[in-house]
Amino acid sequence: MDGMKHSEPAEVEVWPFAVTRSVNTGFRIVAAPDFLVDEDRYSLLHDVTTGDPTDDSVYRREYRVRGSESLRLLYRVVYLKASDVGLDGDYAMSGPRRTPLIEGVVCRTPSGPPATRELFAEVHSRCGADVRAFFEADSTTHPVSPFPSFAAPGTGETVRVADLDPYLADDPSLADAPYLAEGMDSTAPTGRRPSGIRRLAAAALSAVLSALGLRTGRQAGTVPGEGGEGAGAPGYARGGGTSPGPARRLGRAAGAIVLTVLVVLLVRKFK
């Protein structure tokens, strides 16, 4: 129960991590487990850690990959305090918004550590200097700091845990995802690269739709963050001349449908 003393000591090896942003940067991984940095896999922390900022609970989530490996993340999402980065006031600000801070531990054993305030105080202490250095540098080229493991406190004041659905890194649906979407943070994890025939078919379909005048314009995205919404609405590509009549538009649509079916059959044949 929240606030009760955890009375069963258990020494569990954990690795600390921290994710935050600065004034002019997007969210960046500031500190990560050394084994993930060595293997160049620390970017998984971007996708696995989700949740709203709260002081009342922490999050627990499993990361599964390659059918056998499993990592367990225990983390909290709070707002970065101004005092943590040498500023006055209550919170460190990124423009008009408070700056979220994600900090926690990665565990490689089936049973994770007890979720205690002492554990998160230890993580905050270990990663604090690196978080401040990143915030002050305010640069996207600031290096990720690798951290070794430590023994998680076996006792302490427990906090409420919200269990999230496992993150399945080897989900077959990722096979059709873009390898690196335009505008994606280069540190964010990517899906598996689509096959050559699928990339070719997608490019051919895009060209056909463009030629038929049926390709829509790029949709404006929203800006995440406290109180932030992106401006703009879906638009359509503008062309010169007068608009085609209903009969011509219907003919173009029918042609696009037929070609789309042919492309789908081609993709299935070469899967």
Side-chain angles (χ1 to χ4, degrees):
M1 184 179 297
D2 185 20
M4 294 183 62
K5 292 291 182 178
H6 185 83
S7 58
E8 297 181 4
E11 186 171 307
V12 179
E13 186 179 27
V14 295
W15 284 258
F17 70 88
V19 182
T20 189
R21 62 166 298 158
S22 190
V23 178
N24 297 307
T25 67
F27 282 93
R28 312 292 295 186
I29 298 170
V30 179
D34 54 6
F35 72 93
L36 290 180
V37 175
D38 292 342
E39 299 169 6
D40 196 26
R41 293 195 300 134
Y42 58 88
S43 60
L44 67 87
L45 299 171
H46 270 300
D47 278 359
V48 182
T49 52
T50 184
D52 296 323
T54 176
D55 293 322
D56 299 329
S57 62
V58 299
Y59 299 97
R60 181 166 52 206
R61 195 176 193 188
E62 182 183 4
Y63 172 83
R64 299 176 187 168
V65 67
R66 291 198 293 269
S68 58
E69 181 187 13
S70 176
L71 304 175
R72 284 166 176 77
L73 281 69
L74 183 66
Y75 62 94
R76 66 180 178 182
V77 184
V78 295
Y79 288 115
L80 182 64
K81 300 289 183 62
S83 58
D84 289 333
V85 291
L87 299 176
D88 296 326
D90 295 327
Y91 298 101
M93 307 297 289
S94 298
R97 304 185 182 112
R98 291 177 289 180
T99 303
L101 169 66
I102 303 171
E103 56 184 4
V105 295
V106 174
C107 181
R108 305 181 79 171
T109 56
S111 59
T116 64
R117 298 191 185 279
E118 286 75 7
L119 171 64
F120 286 96
E122 181 68 21
V123 171
H124 193 75
S125 175
R126 288 174 179 262
C127 298
D130 292 272
V131 169
R132 177 169 179 170
F134 162 77
F135 191 87
E136 292 177 341
D138 198 10
S139 169
T140 58
T141 61
H142 192 81
V144 177
S145 298
F147 274 79
S149 63
F150 68 94
T155 60
E157 183 181 353
T158 59
V159 293
R160 187 170 65 88
V161 176
D163 284 298
L164 303 179
D165 291 336
Y167 181 88
L168 307 178
D170 54 351
D171 188 334
S173 65
L174 293 179
D176 292 328
Y179 185 67
L180 185 61
E182 181 178 352
M184 181 182 292
D185 190 327
S186 61
T187 65
T190 58
R192 289 180 292 206
R193 186 186 295 270
S195 65
I197 186 63
R198 290 187 178 185
R199 292 199 302 273
L200 179 61
L205 178 59
S206 178
V208 168
L209 292 178
S210 180
L212 291 173
L214 297 173
R215 189 175 183 180
T216 59
R218 185 172 301 166
Q219 183 172 347
T222 58
V223 179
E226 184 184 26
E229 284 189 344
Y236 292 88
R238 296 178 179 177
T242 58
S243 299
R248 180 174 296 182
R249 287 199 300 268
L250 182 60
R252 288 180 174 180
I257 292 173
V258 172
L259 289 172
T260 300
V261 171
L262 292 176
V263 170
V264 171
L265 293 175
L266 180 65
V267 171
R268 290 184 176 178
K269 180 178 180 180
F270 288 95
K271 284 181 68 177

